[in-house]
Amino acid sequence: MKNTLEITSLFTRALTEILAKVSGFTLEPVQAPPDAPISSVAGVIHLNGAGDLPGSTLIISASDGDARVLCSYMTGAAQNAFSRDDLGDALCEIANMLAGNVKLLTGASFSPSTPYAIFGEGMSVSTKRRIGIIQLHLACDALSVKLKVILGG
Amino acid sequence: MKLLVVDDSHITRKVIKAVASSLNMAAEEAQDGEEALEMLSKIYREIDLVLLDWNMPEKSGYEVLVEMKKSDVYRHIPVMMVTALGQKENIVAAVRAGACNYLTKPFTADELASKLIECTQEANAL
């Protein structure tokens, strides 16, 4: 398993590149406490299997407004053209791309699950095992996205 | 030119359809592998190219590709994989199974358009 700093750097790079490509925005890391709540729309994917990052879970979340901005720039449609399911779908697709990108960058042998969406305010993650949780917060003037990586292994 | 776009992400299907439309290509949609095969059984004569995501519920895009290439009815239809899985082993497996092209997510509209034009030219050359 890579150390936490390496994993943070890896996910920051991968997510920044993905968001730049799908939305055109260049997001920068901003300070985020590890226990910051998940935003109201989230895409979740599990990395199943052996190798680096085994058993990890990725949760990418954004506020309803930020998810609308993301959908709008991904598709070219107006921000009010999207249902709640569309917003979750977009974040699931970003999670899917992030899993694939990290797999490519690390050469790890995990198998990404089918992503799913969760919705709600102020959600947090609690684990019984002593495992690490990495929290990233990427933002620019127009868009803000959070990533929580619940490390497995 | 008519595409069958198979992806469990509604947003991605919407993006692909918009790019296809800008190239004057029509597109049908399926949200998983099972639905894709069901649709193909009805409209395979109209479909010139199938775009397949890999990681989908029910039946993966790779499984659909393998089934299509085993079928006397569908094997002539070109298939392009459009997936977040960009590892060499995935690309090799897809090409060996009969995919004619491979595009890794995330992609820009220009990258997708180039691939669609490439596939069209290959299909016309046959």
Side-chain angles (χ1 to χ4, degrees), chain A residues 14 28 31 39-40 43 48 56-57 61 66 113 122 127 129 136:
Chain A
E28 300 283 347
Q31 204 65 31
S39 296
S40 57
N48 302 314
S56 296
T57 299
S61 67
D66 283 318
S113 71
T127 62
R129 290 170 56 209
L136 293 180

Side-chain angles (χ1 to χ4, degrees), chain B residues 12-78:
Chain B
T12 296
R13 295 199 305 272
K14 199 175 170 86
V15 169
I16 293 173
K17 283 184 78 171
V19 173
S21 174
S22 73
L23 298 170
N24 292 319
M25 296 176 181
E28 297 286 345
E29 297 178 43
Q31 64 181 5
D32 60 50
E34 293 283 7
E35 190 183 10
L37 289 170
E38 199 182 311
M39 286 183 72
L40 272 178
S41 71
K42 293 172 190 160
I43 59 167
Y44 69 91
R45 287 186 184 87
E46 303 169 26
I47 300 299
D48 303 294
L49 175 66
V50 176
L51 272 60
L52 278 178
D53 184 19
W54 192 304
N55 186 16
M56 293 186 289
E58 310 307 333
K59 185 167 279 190
S60 75
Y62 180 75
E63 289 172 300
V64 174
L65 171 65
V66 169
E67 283 195 36
M68 282 182 66
K69 295 305 170 183
K70 275 185 188 163
S71 157
D72 289 338
V73 183
Y74 308 140
R75 74 160 51 128
H76 70 283
I77 304 173

Side-chain angles (χ1 to χ4, degrees), chain A residues 21, chain B residues 7 12 16 19 51-54 79-86 91 94 99-116 119:
Chain A
K21 207 157 191 180
Chain B
D7 199 304
T12 296
I16 293 173
V19 173
L51 272 60
L52 278 178
D53 184 19
W54 192 304
V79 174
M80 176 163 78
M81 300 302 291
V82 183
T83 168
L85 298 174
I91 299 170
C100 68
N101 220 319
Y102 202 101
L103 178 62
T104 304
K105 297 174 184 174
F107 53 78
T108 62
D110 286 346
E111 286 167 346
L112 175 59
S114 297
K115 289 283 187 181
L116 290 176
C119 289

Side-chain angles (χ1 to χ4, degrees), chain A residues 10 49 125 132:
Chain A
L10 174 76
V125 172

Side-chain angles (χ1 to χ4, degrees), chain A residues 83-97:
Chain A
S83 67
R84 192 181 75 148
D85 284 347
D86 290 335
L87 307 183
D89 182 282
L91 286 160
C92 284
E93 190 65 337
I94 301 293
N96 186 41
M97 290 176 197

Side-chain angles (χ1 to χ4, degrees), chain A residues 52-128:
Chain A
D52 265 357
L53 306 169
S56 296
T57 299
L58 315 184
I59 304 170
I60 299 180
S61 67
S63 67
D64 187 274
D66 283 318
R68 285 185 187 282
V69 171
L70 183 61
C71 281
S72 176
Y73 278 85
M74 284 174 84
T75 63
Q79 288 181 29
N80 61 6
F82 302 100
S83 67
R84 192 181 75 148
D85 284 347
D86 290 335
L87 307 183
D89 182 282
L91 286 160
C92 284
E93 190 65 337
I94 301 293
N96 186 41
M97 290 176 197
L98 183 62
N101 198 305
V102 165
K103 187 174 180 183
L104 186 63
L105 290 171
T106 60
S109 61
F110 62 77
S111 173
S113 71
T114 304
Y116 57 91
I118 54 175
F119 304 92
E121 296 292 339
M123 290 180 289
S124 60
V125 172
S126 168
T127 62
K128 291 187 177 175

